[in-house]
């Protein structure tokens, strides 16, 4: 159970990192191919609520950093609750 939970959180973290890297290569905010559509579909439910809560900082989007910290904190709490 704990291994599967860790895998889910790790995939989420990697998807966020891949989205950040992809956005540097292709700055168009709209998904234009299948890989980009998949990354946006996986990461938007995590990043969009954070973006709505955070004030804009010009061209700097810190929502991926906040999302990674939140995911790591959630995994740590769940791991301690499950006795891992």
């Amino acid at each position: 159970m704990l291994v599967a939970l860790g895998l889910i959180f790790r995939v989420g973290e990697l998807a966020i990192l891949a989205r950040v890297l992809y956005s540097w290569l292709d700055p168009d905010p709209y998904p234009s191919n299948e890989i980009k559509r998949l990354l946006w579909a996986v990461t938007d439910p995590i990043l969009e609520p954070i973006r709505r809560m955070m004030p804009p900082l010009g061209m700097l989007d810190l929502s991926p950093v906040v999302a990674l910290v939140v995911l790591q904190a959630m995994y740590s709490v769940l791991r301690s609750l499950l006795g891992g």
Side-chain angles (χ1 to χ4, degrees), residues 15-82:
I16 291 170
L17 291 173
R19 179 175 174 154
V20 168
L21 293 174
Y22 202 106
S23 71
W24 292 346
L25 298 173
D26 181 8
D28 182 20
Y30 303 105
S32 54
N33 64 45
E34 290 302 316
I35 294 171
K36 195 171 182 180
R37 270 193 274 277
L38 177 64
L39 280 175
W40 267 236
V42 169
T43 57
D44 269 349
I46 300 166
L47 296 176
E48 288 303 319
I50 295 170
R51 285 189 182 124
R52 284 192 298 268
M53 288 187 285
M54 289 180 60
L57 297 172
M59 295 293 292
L60 193 59
D61 181 15
L62 294 178
S63 62
V65 175
V66 173
L68 290 173
V69 170
V70 168
L71 284 175
Q72 290 175 357
M74 287 174 54
Y75 177 65
S76 183
V77 167
L78 288 172
R79 188 177 64 203
S80 67
L81 289 174
L82 294 174

